[in-house]
Amino acid sequence: DGGITQSPKYLFRKEGQNVTLSCEQNLNHDAMYWYRQDPGQGLRLIYYSQIVNDFQKGDIAEGYSVSREKKESFPLTVTSAQKNPTAFYLCASSIHLNYGYTFGSGTRLTVV
Amino acid sequence: GENVEQHPSTLSVQEGDSAVIKCTYSDSASNYFPWYKQELGKGPQLIIDIRSNVGEKKDQRIAVTLNKTAKHFSLHITETQPEDSAVYFCAASRDNAGNMLTFGGGTRLMVKP
């Protein structure tokens, strides 16, 4: 079955540590996205990538980094520079223009 | 850029009643409007979408209407059931914005049995 997989489902990070969230898709989608969702809030765009080896900052990119070395993979690193990283992180992909996104099941990151 | 506003932010209905969620958009060039349902602890799922060349689309108990002149679109759920309880997001995109969707702020729908 085709789909988009995020791992891990739950992640705990100590203050000052970097952590990387995985996002893999086998849908052959060109574009991939990372969103952050805080409790009771909407979706805020962190980074997006329209094609391999290219990515762009979204609305809240500070404290985050990404890479897009393969079409299937778009990992997100939450760095120690992100002051309030506790949130639900969603990865999505889309095939091309004017089609809906397919979302992963999310990773809940908690700073302890 | 595009701005999408969604109302209401919360909606409580009795089982069997209808629910309507409305979104307005700012960019008249937007031409694709999907709706997503997000259950607790899960990622959003696409439930229905509409393109600007049609005014209404229906899928069983769910329908979406689009008014291009007024720049608003709505999600209608009839005969609501407890399993319809979730957060619903609307979104909009346009041809010259690549694949980018602009999302509304979400509506928490609660269906009381």
Side-chain angles (χ1 to χ4, degrees):
Chain A
D1 288 339
I4 182 166
T5 302
Q6 288 187 243
S7 61
K9 189 171 179 63
Y10 300 96
L11 186 58
F12 296 89
R13 188 195 94 172
K14 292 182 179 179
E15 286 194 25
Q17 284 184 335
N18 293 355
V19 289
T20 297
L21 283 59
S22 171
C23 179
E24 302 278 334
Q25 54 99 359
N26 60 3
L27 300 166
N28 200 32
H29 286 179
D30 288 315
M32 297 186 74
Y33 314 83
W34 275 105
Y35 286 88
R36 170 179 172 144
Q37 188 174 33
D38 292 286
Q41 302 298 311
L43 305 171
R44 292 191 288 169
L45 182 64
I46 305 172
Y47 267 98
Y48 65 99
S49 169
Q50 301 279 38
I51 197 169
V52 174
N53 292 323
D54 185 58
F55 49 84
Q56 305 295 330
K57 292 182 178 180
D59 301 320
I60 56 166
E62 186 175 352
Y64 300 97
S65 66
V66 294
S67 63
R68 188 82 188 278
E69 298 176 359
K70 298 186 301 181
K71 188 176 186 178
E72 302 80 16
S73 179
F74 191 41
L76 173 74
T77 296
V78 184
T79 75
S80 57
Q82 171 49 239
K83 297 306 178 187
N84 186 22
T86 295
F88 189 52
Y89 290 87
L90 286 161
C91 181
S93 67
S94 66
I95 187 167
H96 57 71
L97 189 65
N98 278 348
Y99 273 77
Y101 294 175
T102 299
F103 282 90
S105 55
T107 291
R108 187 168 299 281
L109 173 65
T110 304
V111 173
V112 296
Chain B
E2 174 68 278
N3 182 50
V4 178
E5 294 191 357
Q6 184 171 345
H7 299 280
S9 57
T10 60
L11 178 60
S12 182
V13 300
Q14 205 66 38
E15 182 178 358
D17 288 350
S18 295
V20 181
I21 303 170
K22 299 181 179 180
C23 288
T24 60
Y25 59 98
S26 60
D27 190 342
S28 57
S30 289
N31 56 6
Y32 174 65
F33 308 92
W35 285 89
Y36 290 85
K37 175 183 180 182
Q38 185 180 26
E39 297 178 342
L40 191 63
K42 298 183 180 180
Q45 299 291 313
L46 179 68
I47 56 171
I48 195 168
D49 57 10
I50 192 168
R51 301 180 191 282
S52 60
N53 57 343
V54 297
E56 183 174 359
K57 184 176 180 180
K58 191 172 182 179
D59 183 3
Q60 298 182 16
R61 296 186 296 109
I62 295 174
V64 57
T65 58
L66 172 64
N67 184 326
K68 288 180 61 180
T69 303
K71 291 190 287 186
H72 67 70
F73 56 111
S74 299
L75 178 71
H76 305 254
I77 306 174
T78 59
E79 300 173 21
T80 54
Q81 301 167 4
E83 51 264 38
D84 294 328
S85 297
V87 177
Y88 291 82
F89 291 98
C90 64
S93 73
R94 53 188 168 86
D95 284 341
N96 58 355
N99 306 58
M100 296 302 299
L101 290 175
T102 300
F103 287 90
T107 296
R108 181 172 299 278
L109 173 64
M110 293 171 285
V111 180
K112 296 179 289 187

